Amino acid sequence: METTTKTKSRNNLVAHVKEDRLWSRHEKMSEFGAIPKNGVNRQALSRADVAARKELISWAKARGFNVAQDKIGNLFIRRPGLHSSASPVMTGSHMDSQPCGGRFDGIYGVLAGLEALEAMEDTGLKTSRPIDVVAWTNEEGSRFDPGCMGSMVYTGSATVDAFDAVEDADGILFRDALSETLKDTPVDYTRALSEPVFAYLEAHIEQGPILENTGNTIGAVNGIQGSQRFQIEITGKSAHAGTTPIASRRDALQSAIRCLTALNSVMQDPEDILRYTVGKLEIMPNSPNAVASQAEFSIDLRHPNKEFLETKGKQISEACSEAAPPCEFKIFQTFDKPPTKFSPKIVTEIEQIASDLGYPNIILPSGAFHDAGIMASYCPTAMIFVPCAGGISHNEAEFASPTDLVAGAKVLAACLADLAA
Ligand code: HGY
Ligand code: MN
Ligand code: MN
């Protein structure tokens, strides 16, 4: 008898998760920071980010949910439970995007979470635990390095002022952009950092081709590969392009080229599992007739094996110490997240619910990092993936279908209801 009531209430809840409401919210959100070719540039704490936050708050308030913000700008939408003092079940993701980002990376997890809360309101579902939808500050780490600042500060793996002095390309300090955002975002109250969380669940597009290639709608994500990020600064001496002999130059650009050539051979992986990316390269004074005095480049390094990743990370300085002279170089490590394992119990629950709802599903690891990677050491955590076309992401062409998006939101809603029961 008990199971049929539970199944009935789950089917009723899932039936109230609405594809068109979820899709139209994605369309609205893609207006904030819209760029050509259907992309978004909604970088952390930008005006577009603040505008998107205000829109989200207006949707939450329209349903009578409470909205709070903590000191690092994480935004929380709360649906109360019968036991208001019980630690909440939390879901969400990030609203900030890459400079040439897509309309689904991050924002999907926030909107799927809101959709789940709306469906619970529509069915009058009572949960014993409160449920929070969170929008984490600066997951991407493209404007302000590193990523996952909001979740790292929330969980205590970074202090609230750890990133104050981080500057963006225009010299704006993170601390100043944050205080602007906190001032401009209308919330009901300020939430404390590091409040306990019963469980955390994040819905996200896969950002890879596995679900699409295997014909699966739902990915029960069991972990995230390890991820390290570095900033390398090479210092030479600016000089006149016409009068300075090559032999006496300290050319930071030529030194960077030697370092990058050396690093390309160090980072060779015949199995093509290591992910080594140099995405950013800045030259100063960047003038055609002045020898470069400074070259700065980023390194993004990822691998599922902790020891292999650490070994590769350590080889960066060896490669540069050989290649950089006669210029000096400095290496700053800005992010270091070993491989993450998610909660097997919640992963199984996601698989079970997806199968009950008739969605083909598989277990898979995540190649991309997420705030869930930070939350995994704070509370039982897992992720739900949905396919994205061609696995394309961090690109304006990123696309996920309304049917796949709502499938993930239905599984999420059912999972949240079970966890908060
Ligand atoms: O870079 C990442 O893995 C994430 O998409 N920000
Ligand atoms: Mn993301
Ligand atoms: Mn991303």
Side-chain angles (χ1 to χ4, degrees), residues 48 56 59 66 98 110 112 131 157 185 189 202 254 272 320 360 378 386 393 398 408:
L56 181 75
W59 293 336
N66 259 330
Q98 285 285 316
V110 176
I131 300 179
S157 25
T185 318
Y189 60 97
E202 179 165 351
Q254 291 302 331
D272 195 6
C320 291
Y378 192 72
V386 294
S393 185
E398 181 184 276

Side-chain angles (χ1 to χ4, degrees), residues 93-94 96 104-107 139-140 202 204-205 207 368-371 393-394:
S93 190
H94 58 97
D96 64 301
F104 305 95
D105 176 3
I107 193 69
E139 185 274 347
E140 294 288 357
E202 179 165 351
H204 206 287
I205 52 168
Q207 299 178 297
F369 67 68
H370 302 280
D371 295 299
S393 185
H394 286 194

Side-chain angles (χ1 to χ4, degrees), residues 224-228 301-306 309 337-340 367:
I224 304 182
Q225 67 176 338
S227 173
Q228 296 187 344
L301 203 56
R302 314 208 193 176
H303 197 277
N305 176 289
K306 183 172 181 298
L309 179 63
K337 190 78 192 69
T340 307

